[in-house]
Amino acid sequence: MNSTLTYAFLIVLLASLTTVLLRAFPFIAFGRNKETPPLIRYLGSVISPAAIAMLCVYCFCSHWQSRGVPAGGAEFIAGTVVVGLQLWKRNPLLSILAGTVVYMILVQQF
Amino acid sequence: MKKKNWQSAFKNTLPVMMGYLAMGAAAGIVLAGTLPRLPATPLWGTVSSALSISGALQFIMVGWIKEGIALTDVVLLTIFLNLRYAMYGFSLIERFEGIPRWKKWYLIWTLTDETYALQCADKRADKNDSVDYCLKVAFLDHCYWISGVTLGALAGSALPFDCKGIDFAMTALFLVILTDQLREKVNRLPALTGFGAALLARIFFSVDRMLIPAMAVMTLVFLLARKKFEEESVKK
């Protein structure tokens, strides 16, 4: 248990430190020169949607893996609820809450 | 002046408070549900949320701890997940120049999407006044986030019902962000690239090893086809 705690703490520390350094990057690297380098601006704009799309795929795959199914319907149904509600109501909390409740019911009852 | 800034910071961060309390609570419940054997889970929620202050990271770290991820992968994945933060500071450099170092680092450390949006929207003419307001916004948002995660972890540890499936909250969060991004046409081709790269990586790697290869593939595509992507974004 002790080693788990140390390991978990190291993960949090490393992830936090990396995040802070990312946030500090413009201040450290371009304190005087106020133009964003074009390559950085370009990568920043394309990587953001790509990383989120990748994480969606990753999440679906890990749900399927932890449930031991090749591709489950519960994820698609709950995912459709989330996307549908978000397109319709544009309320992130509502979409997330409704989708999660639907998913919990599906995996616990069926 | 100082009191007035507290008032306007509180008023302007009210929507953030609702969002952070709810989202933080969800992250805390996931934490308590996924890692019940971690000692002092609520305290753990407090510490991790105070240090990292990043929504997606808060959720995904739980999975990393559970699955046992390599520490080098933590750094790489965090960079990809939070790369956007490296762009935000550019528009704040001028305003935060010359202020005491601890204030500057606190502002950098707490620079979330929502805090950044509020700070950017601030139109105070006096620089000191503006920095004072920004600090208060950052502090309040930081408090909301810590409270949300801690309360969620407390509730999650005590919840009487079956939490199975609660981790879908993270998937839902990513789906919501993606849905909103896809409303803008410029994001569609990059998102499709990320989707394809992830599928490709999943074919050749196991689930817990797929993210790094997927990121490598998409970065390569973005660098090689930069002209094409930039033309597309101008066209649209």
Side-chain angles (χ1 to χ4, degrees):
Chain A
M1 191 38 99
N2 240 342
S3 67
T4 315
L5 193 63
T6 313
Y7 172 72
F9 196 70
L10 268 176
I11 287 185
V12 172
L13 219 56
L14 264 179
S16 305
L17 197 67
T18 311
T19 308
V20 172
L21 286 178
L22 282 172
R23 286 171 173 154
F25 168 74
F27 298 92
I28 294 172
F30 303 94
R32 309 253 158 250
N33 169 4
K34 277 149 201 140
E35 270 305 291
T36 317
L39 179 67
I40 305 231
R41 202 166 45 206
Y42 161 69
L43 279 181
S45 69
V46 287
I47 278 183
S48 174
I52 298 294
M54 169 191 79
L55 287 168
C56 288
V57 175
Y58 165 76
C59 283
F60 272 71
C61 291
S62 61
H63 286 301
W64 291 331
Q65 176 171 277
S66 67
R67 293 206 296 133
V69 293
E75 286 77 8
F76 282 117
I77 295 170
T80 309
V81 169
V82 174
V83 174
L85 271 176
Q86 185 59 20
L87 285 173
W88 181 32
K89 292 284 184 191
R90 295 191 184 214
N91 181 341
L93 290 176
L94 175 75
S95 315
I96 293 169
L97 197 68
T100 307
V101 169
V102 167
Y103 185 74
M104 287 174 76
I105 294 172
L106 287 173
V107 295
Q108 287 180 21
Q109 303 299 321
F110 299 101
Chain B
M1 181 171 101
K2 300 259 161 174
K3 200 178 159 209
K4 220 181 91 218
N5 282 344
W6 274 121
Q7 282 169 351
S8 64
F10 181 68
K11 204 182 87 209
N12 293 336
T13 55
L14 269 177
V16 184
M17 176 167 84
M18 319 265 254
Y20 278 17
L21 283 180
M23 194 65 74
I29 294 174
V30 170
L31 168 74
T34 318
L35 300 168
R37 280 179 303 162
L38 207 63
T41 305
L43 184 68
W44 182 254
T46 313
V47 172
S48 61
S49 60
L51 283 175
S52 69
I53 340 164
S54 160
L57 191 65
Q58 187 77 39
F59 276 98
I60 210 162
M61 273 192 308
V62 173
W64 292 347
I65 295 170
K66 189 183 164 204
E67 284 161 19
I69 185 182
L71 292 177
T72 44
D73 289 0
V74 172
V75 176
L76 274 175
L77 289 167
T78 306
I79 289 177
F80 258 76
L81 196 60
N82 285 339
L83 190 66
R84 66 185 188 288
Y85 289 139
M87 315 293 139
Y88 289 172
F90 285 107
S91 51
L92 295 169
I93 289 176
E94 209 166 351
R95 201 182 322 174
F96 295 169
E97 211 168 55
I99 64 173
R101 194 165 285 176
W102 71 269
K103 286 187 179 174
K104 192 169 178 172
W105 277 100
Y106 184 72
L107 286 164
I108 291 172
W109 178 35
T110 53
L111 191 66
T112 61
D113 301 310
E114 292 78 5
T115 305
Y116 170 73
L118 286 175
Q119 291 173 345
C120 275
D122 178 47
K123 298 277 179 274
R124 281 167 178 71
D126 180 63
K127 203 188 108 167
N128 288 331
D129 197 24
S130 178
V131 167
D132 183 63
Y133 166 79
C134 288
L135 270 168
K136 282 161 184 167
V137 167
F139 176 71
L140 287 173
D141 285 353
H142 196 188
C143 291
Y144 304 147
W145 181 244
I146 298 171
S147 315
V149 176
T150 308
L151 290 173
L154 275 171
S157 311
L159 278 185
F161 60 84
D162 189 354
C163 284
K164 191 178 168 213
I166 188 101
D167 55 342
F168 195 77
M170 179 174 81
T171 312
L173 168 68
F174 292 140
L175 283 173
V176 163
I177 298 174
L178 185 66
T179 308
D180 285 342
Q181 282 179 338
L182 291 183
R183 286 181 209 275
E184 286 178 48
K185 284 203 173 96
V186 283
N187 287 331
R188 290 183 188 166
L189 195 61
L192 194 67
T193 311
F195 185 77
L199 285 186
L200 191 71
R202 178 64 191 93
I203 293 172
F204 293 102
F205 296 90
S206 65
V207 176
D208 33 325
R209 305 215 170 278
M210 65 177 272
L211 286 179
I212 304 275
M215 294 186 314
V217 169
M218 72 168 85
T219 309
L220 200 67
V221 173
F222 288 144
L223 288 177
L224 289 176
R226 181 175 173 189
K227 254 211 173 93
K228 171 94 180 111
F229 279 100
E230 285 183 330
E231 275 166 16
E232 281 290 310
S233 71
V234 172
K235 207 162 59 192
K236 279 152 184 172

